[in-house]
Amino acid sequence: MISEGVNLEKDKKALLEAALFMSPDPVTLNTLLKISGIESRKEIKDLLDQIKQEHEVDTKGIELAITQEGYQFKVKDSYIGQVSSLTPHSDLTDGMLRTLGLVALRQPMAQSQIVKIQGNKTYGYIQKLEKKGLITTEKVGRTKVLRTTKEFERYFGKSLNDIQENLRLVIGDEADQQLGTEVPDEGLEEDSGIENTEDQAG
């Protein structure tokens, strides 16, 4: 007969797994403590360690990632290419996707040029995209130059060239009209407006 204590531990672990599965972003330890009702930080860390170990076996397609932002379930790298087409990338807003598309198509691209197209909310989009590791920013003059990363290709499960070809069909003409075929020198001018914080990016 299974003891009540064992069942209770399984329930707590199952609840933690459910919370991690439902969140598109890393979940902090404090948030998991509140959701689970567990009062001991040692106990919840032990349970999270168990979950992590259980998903490290080859028969599991997901793993528990631990970052500075918290805990998050993610697809293992060896499977991401085969399943990436199933996700609508719900963790990216329309504004973030549009910003990412412009960077991917026109990189290296000046931040000030994207701001001219999308407005000051662009600053928040860029902060979030950089935090997710999808773009890099480099200070050049009084603005920043943006580029996509290898994580960007892994995230979408396609090469940069393939992504660029698809983007040209969607936003290429519009980008040509507003930016021309090259990023102009004035793209390195000082950004106008005040950089918005992340919570202003919708």
Side-chain angles (χ1 to χ4, degrees):
M1 181 176 179
I2 300 176
S3 69
E4 183 179 346
V6 172
N7 277 329
L8 184 58
E9 181 175 314
K10 284 186 175 181
D11 288 344
K12 290 178 180 178
K13 190 160 64 173
L15 180 56
L16 290 174
E17 288 181 330
L20 292 165
F21 179 80
M22 288 295 291
S23 176
D25 299 311
V27 186
T28 65
L29 191 64
N30 286 338
T31 298
L32 290 172
L33 283 167
K34 291 178 182 178
I35 291 173
S36 65
I38 298 173
E39 297 181 358
S40 167
R41 296 177 75 88
K42 181 182 184 306
E43 180 183 358
I44 197 169
K45 284 184 176 181
D46 287 344
L47 290 173
L48 289 167
D49 283 343
Q50 290 178 31
I51 293 172
K52 181 174 174 59
Q53 291 174 14
E54 289 169 2
H55 286 79
E56 286 176 349
V57 298
D58 293 338
T59 54
K60 297 289 187 179
I62 60 175
E63 61 187 351
L64 180 60
I66 304 174
T67 67
Q68 290 183 339
E69 288 77 28
Y71 297 81
Q72 183 178 31
F73 272 140
K74 63 185 288 288
V75 176
K76 291 181 178 178
D77 290 344
S78 54
Y79 297 108
I80 192 68
Q82 296 164 273
V83 301
S84 60
S85 61
L86 298 176
T87 174
H89 310 299
S90 58
D91 57 326
L92 300 180
T93 65
D94 289 344
M96 291 167 68
L97 283 169
R98 181 176 171 81
T99 300
L100 192 56
L102 288 170
V103 174
L105 188 60
R106 297 296 174 186
Q107 64 183 310
M109 187 171 189
Q111 176 176 264
S112 55
Q113 286 294 303
I114 304 179
V115 173
K116 287 179 182 178
I117 297 173
Q118 299 195 145
N120 285 342
K121 281 191 174 182
T122 299
Y123 296 117
Y125 302 147
I126 289 171
Q127 287 175 3
K128 288 187 175 182
L129 291 170
E130 186 174 20
K131 185 176 180 180
K132 287 180 176 292
L134 299 176
I135 64 171
T136 62
T137 64
E138 178 186 1
K139 188 74 173 178
V140 177
R142 290 175 291 179
T143 189
K144 294 178 180 178
V145 173
L146 314 179
R147 295 177 176 85
T148 58
T149 63
K150 286 295 183 183
E151 173 65 16
F152 165 78
E153 295 181 67
R154 188 199 67 78
Y155 180 86
F156 287 97
K158 295 181 179 180
S159 70
L160 177 59
N161 286 338
D162 288 341
I163 294 171
Q164 287 175 330
E165 287 182 12
N166 291 336
L167 284 170
R168 287 189 182 98
L169 298 176
V170 179
I171 65 172
D173 291 341
E174 180 180 350
D176 284 342
Q177 291 173 8
Q178 299 194 56
L179 297 177
T181 56
E182 300 290 341
V183 176
D185 291 339
E186 59 265 25
L188 301 183
E189 67 188 8
E190 183 175 9
D191 291 328
S192 59
I194 300 174
E195 292 200 16
N196 291 12
T197 57
E198 288 185 25
D199 59 1
Q200 289 176 290

